[in-house]
Amino acid sequence: MIVVGGTNKVTFGTGILTERTHAVFRTKHNSPLRYHYDSAATLLFELTLRSNIVEAARALSQSGAYFADFEHSFCNPVYWDRTREGKFRLRSGASPHDAIQDIFANGKAYAFECSMAVIVVLHKGLLDTIEKHHYDALFTDLFLFDENAKRDLQLIDRRPIQEAVAGDILYVQNPDYDPAIPWAKGENVVMLDDERFFGHGYGLGVASAEDVMTILNKQRLPESTVSASFTDRFVHPDFAYFAQWTRRRYNQPLIAKIGDWIHVEKI
């Protein structure tokens, strides 16, 4: 259940929500868990960012960026320095937002594995949701590496998996993977809005859950009987934290509380 400022009675006028954002709202509002928001504006920010994460995932799938393990990763040296471990650090003097945009505009200059791919997607989704100058101020020392992402993107762990919605990052584990293929251990995927997922590994792109499992299962040990499967954990950015940087960008709707109801309407 979604609770905004102490009430679960929230209505949206025509044109406020898209089909995608309405589906996320409906799913969370019908959940047995309680999702608390300090304001309708914060809720709208989350719905917008989730939608932009989905768009970013689809865009990365079409960017031409290659899959590679860390040992064989590469990047555009105009914007990034590649570390000895195969991670990407923002080049001195480069703009954070230009560096992220370049991955999508110049994908064939990049190769990375699935955990970095979902980090790139989250950054692009956030960049498309807040002001560029705010994004640059937040990520002056941008380093595309999973441990840094937990802090920089304020990632929050959630469970159970049944609560995941579009824009969440899930993990598919493959317990009996072939040790000769270490990247077959699992796949980080972005949940999209049509029962499909984006995964960068093996050139997967946009695929069904069954497709993801099938590809990973082909990389198991010969005697394995344990299928790849989703873990019961997913992550997403701290939407409430980042919502403070969106106030001026969008024409804010009219938000009024009448009795127990919060009404959100276009001005």
Side-chain angles (χ1 to χ4, degrees):
M1 177 185 297
I2 287 177
V3 179
V4 179
T7 180
N8 64 350
K9 299 176 180 178
V10 184
T11 62
F12 295 92
T14 302
I16 297 293
L17 300 182
T18 65
E19 182 178 347
R20 175 184 295 153
T21 55
H22 185 264
V24 173
F25 173 79
R26 184 174 60 247
T27 298
K28 297 189 76 170
H29 201 48
N30 291 336
S31 168
L33 301 184
R34 295 171 72 89
Y35 293 95
H36 293 272
Y37 297 86
D38 62 349
S39 68
T42 300
L43 170 59
L44 284 171
F45 177 84
E46 175 180 328
L47 296 175
T48 301
L49 178 49
R50 284 185 178 278
S51 182
N52 287 340
I53 290 170
V54 170
E55 288 301 314
R58 292 185 179 278
L60 188 59
S61 74
Q62 299 295 319
S63 69
Y66 299 100
F67 172 77
D69 60 16
F70 287 118
E71 181 180 357
H72 299 96
S73 68
F74 57 83
C75 54
N76 186 349
V78 173
Y79 296 101
W80 303 95
D81 291 321
R82 182 183 180 277
T83 70
R84 293 172 60 184
E85 297 80 18
K87 315 303 191 330
F88 304 160
R89 187 184 298 277
L90 185 69
R91 191 177 182 88
S92 178
S95 159
H97 78 264
D98 282 339
I100 290 295
Q101 296 279 28
D102 187 67
I103 299 174
F104 292 80
N106 193 23
K108 291 188 181 299
Y110 295 86
F112 42 77
E113 53 94 73
C114 66
S115 66
M116 189 180 293
V118 297
I119 293 170
V120 169
V121 166
L122 291 176
H123 274 282
K124 182 62 162 61
L126 183 60
L127 173 58
D128 290 343
T129 311
I130 67 175
E131 299 281 0
K132 289 181 180 179
H133 67 277
H134 287 320
Y135 180 85
D136 287 350
L138 285 166
F139 300 106
T140 54
D141 298 318
L142 185 57
F143 185 27
L144 298 183
F145 178 46
D146 50 1
E147 291 301 320
N148 284 66
K150 291 179 182 178
R151 180 193 67 240
D152 294 347
L153 291 168
Q154 304 281 319
L155 296 184
I156 296 175
D157 286 275
R158 298 289 193 194
R159 49 176 50 88
I161 193 68
Q162 291 79 11
E163 292 294 308
V165 293
D168 285 327
I169 307 301
L170 291 71
Y171 185 70
V172 184
Q173 62 185 348
N174 192 20
D176 289 345
Y177 72 99
D178 186 342
I181 313 173
W183 54 89
K185 182 178 182 179
E187 178 78 13
N188 294 278
V189 297
V190 182
M191 188 171 185
L192 306 181
D193 52 358
D194 52 3
E195 297 186 359
R196 297 176 77 79
F197 301 85
F198 164 72
H200 186 61
Y202 308 98
L204 189 64
V206 175
S208 67
E210 182 179 0
D211 291 335
V212 177
M213 307 298 178
T214 298
I215 288 176
L216 286 175
N217 283 340
K218 289 180 179 179
Q219 314 302 328
R220 291 182 297 171
L221 293 169
E223 67 274 16
S224 171
T225 58
V226 181
S227 173
S229 62
F230 283 104
T231 65
D232 196 37
R233 168 183 172 270
F234 59 96
V235 301
H236 60 66
D238 185 340
F239 299 108
Y241 172 77
F242 288 110
Q244 62 187 300
W245 284 285
T246 192
R247 302 308 178 193
R248 297 188 209 171
R249 177 162 186 172
Y250 298 101
N251 292 324
Q252 293 296 315
L254 175 65
I255 301 174
K257 187 171 184 179
I258 303 174
D260 292 334
W261 283 89
I262 292 178
H263 300 270
V264 185
E265 300 284 349
K266 278 190 173 182
I267 298 177

